[in-house]
Amino acid sequence: MSTDQPPPGPPPDDDPFAKRPPEPPQGPPPGPPPPGSPYDDPYPPPPPYGGYGGGYGGTDPLSGMPPLAETGRRVLARLIDWVIIAVPLAIIGIPFDIYDRATVDGDDFQTTWTGGGQLVFQLLTIVAYVTYDTVLTAQRGQTVGKRLMKLRVAMLNDGSTPPMSQSLLRAIVLWLPALICCACLWPLLLLILIMVDKPYKQGLHDKAAKTVVVTVPQ
């Protein structure tokens, strides 16, 4: 079970997704209603389910948020984002002789990216992935993949869109190990942690930035 505690503080006023404090109660003054009062309803309607606004300041940070995202949809969103960045990088990599070196020298993928002039291309790749994820997440909580899968990243404490600092931290933890040394193992580790983490389904990148991934209300 995650032990992260969300930072205190009210949500920003300009974020339409942030959970809000509950509205002041409407109705009669405090105290038991007089006999025959129209407010004396023996069958009061149940509280609304879902949406933002319920449970602000409660013990459960997810109270009032949409449901957490399904793991399969998160994986599909990440694959879409990877393709969006990888295809242009594959074209840009031609002048850097990435493919010629791999064919002639027989180097493996990691050695190819870290040798000689390929270091420049590796740095370009890191900047591309981290910038893409950081900027789009900070703007509206959604990369292109998440938008297509109807998901978004939210701050755990209030449901707001992550600020630039948290979005950058999340992107660095998400992409940097995979692009430098652990192209296969790091994404697999993140996936396993998302699947087993309770109750927030957080990978290491979510834990570092104190975020969760939720569905977008329809």
Side-chain angles (χ1 to χ4, degrees), residues 57-142:
T59 57
D60 184 4
L62 293 180
S63 177
M65 280 196 193
L68 292 171
E70 298 174 0
T71 303
R73 291 169 67 181
R74 292 186 66 171
V75 172
L76 288 176
R78 186 59 61 198
L79 288 175
I80 292 172
D81 292 331
W82 180 82
V83 170
I84 289 174
I85 308 173
V87 171
L89 283 175
I91 298 174
I92 295 173
I94 295 175
F96 290 88
D97 296 329
I98 297 297
Y99 313 106
D100 291 342
R101 178 186 168 102
T103 303
V104 174
D105 297 344
D107 292 344
D108 59 23
F109 179 82
Q110 196 60 43
T111 303
T112 298
W113 276 37
T114 56
Q118 280 71 30
L119 178 60
V120 177
F121 184 73
Q122 185 187 24
L123 294 175
L124 178 62
T125 300
I126 292 173
V127 170
Y129 277 95
V130 172
T131 301
Y132 169 88
D133 215 285
T134 299
V135 172
L136 293 185
T137 300
Q139 284 181 345
R140 51 187 298 176
Q142 293 177 301

Side-chain angles (χ1 to χ4, degrees), residues 205-218:
H205 54 307
D206 290 312
K207 291 182 181 295
K210 292 182 171 56
T211 58
V212 289
V213 179
V214 298
T215 58
V216 175
Q218 301 297 322

Side-chain angles (χ1 to χ4, degrees), residues 181-213:
C181 63
C182 311
C184 296
L185 293 179
W186 190 250
L188 179 60
L189 175 62
L190 295 181
L191 176 59
I192 292 174
L193 289 177
I194 290 171
M195 295 175 65
V196 302
D197 182 71
K198 305 294 181 182
Y200 303 134
K201 297 184 179 179
Q202 292 176 302
L204 288 177
H205 54 307
D206 290 312
K207 291 182 181 295
K210 292 182 171 56
T211 58
V212 289
V213 179

